[in-house]
Amino acid sequence: MAIKKPFGHNLESARRLNDIVESIFPPNAVFRIDHYLGKETVQNILALRFANQLFEPLWNANYADHVQITMAVDIGTVGRAGYYDGVGAARDVIQNYLLQLLALTATEEPISFNADDLRAEKEKVLAALKLPEDLSTHSARGQFAGGWDAV
């Protein structure tokens, strides 16, 4: 079974849905995916980090001062405005795409690249996150405006 986000509208509803799925399917038969995380660019982060002899020894906390993740898109909200009205861009983008990119960017090399080992390393990164006292001095917000129609 494949499940695509959003999965529930809050933590409680997501847990209820998860209980239903787990009552029907064994855990190894459920595949949770987001189309964005399956994109080639996102998948290539791990290869760039750990298989590239130039970057691998330098891409770590000893040499990286900070990381800036920018989500810049040139498409408009045509066909997605209703979705964003119900779900919200922050819920759609931040908790899914940007936190996953952060985790992939900051993770240590996993023991193997199977799902459990990779998830364990990403969990370490996310557990270590600390929000700054004044988030507005460490982040920037954008607003969708006119763009090309992808439909």
Side-chain angles (χ1 to χ4, degrees):
M1 166 178 214
I3 297 175
K4 186 179 179 309
K5 64 110 183 133
F7 192 67
H9 58 276
N10 59 23
L11 181 59
E12 181 183 333
S13 66
R15 285 183 172 158
R16 281 197 312 266
L17 287 170
N18 201 52
D19 289 343
I20 292 168
V21 170
E22 287 180 351
S23 73
I24 299 169
F25 299 99
N28 63 349
V30 179
F31 183 69
R32 291 173 171 88
I33 187 65
D34 187 284
H35 68 279
Y36 183 81
L37 300 177
K39 290 188 181 227
E40 189 173 304
T41 304
V42 175
Q43 295 295 313
N44 285 341
I45 290 174
L46 293 174
L48 178 68
R49 289 224 29 226
F50 301 119
N52 186 307
Q53 292 180 350
L54 177 66
F55 290 120
E56 192 276 329
L58 300 174
W59 195 326
N60 60 55
N62 295 323
Y63 297 102
D65 177 63
H66 70 282
V67 174
Q68 177 177 327
I69 297 174
T70 301
M71 181 181 166
V73 296
D74 60 358
I75 60 173
T77 57
V78 174
R80 299 183 306 158
Y83 172 75
Y84 277 166
D85 284 345
V87 172
R91 185 169 168 227
D92 179 50
V93 173
I94 295 172
Q95 77 173 11
N96 294 302
Y97 307 157
L98 300 183
L99 283 177
Q100 286 289 342
L101 286 175
L102 171 68
L104 288 171
T105 302
T107 189
E108 294 295 328
E109 186 169 5
I111 296 168
S112 77
F113 288 98
N114 72 40
D116 290 334
D117 293 335
L118 183 57
R119 181 176 48 250
E121 291 302 321
K122 290 193 298 184
E123 285 175 2
K124 289 178 190 175
V125 170
L126 297 175
L129 290 178
K130 292 180 178 48
L131 287 176
E133 297 227 0
D134 183 2
L135 191 58
S136 68
T137 63
H138 294 81
S139 62
R141 281 185 2 177
Q143 179 68 42
F144 276 105
W148 61 274
D149 185 357
V151 180

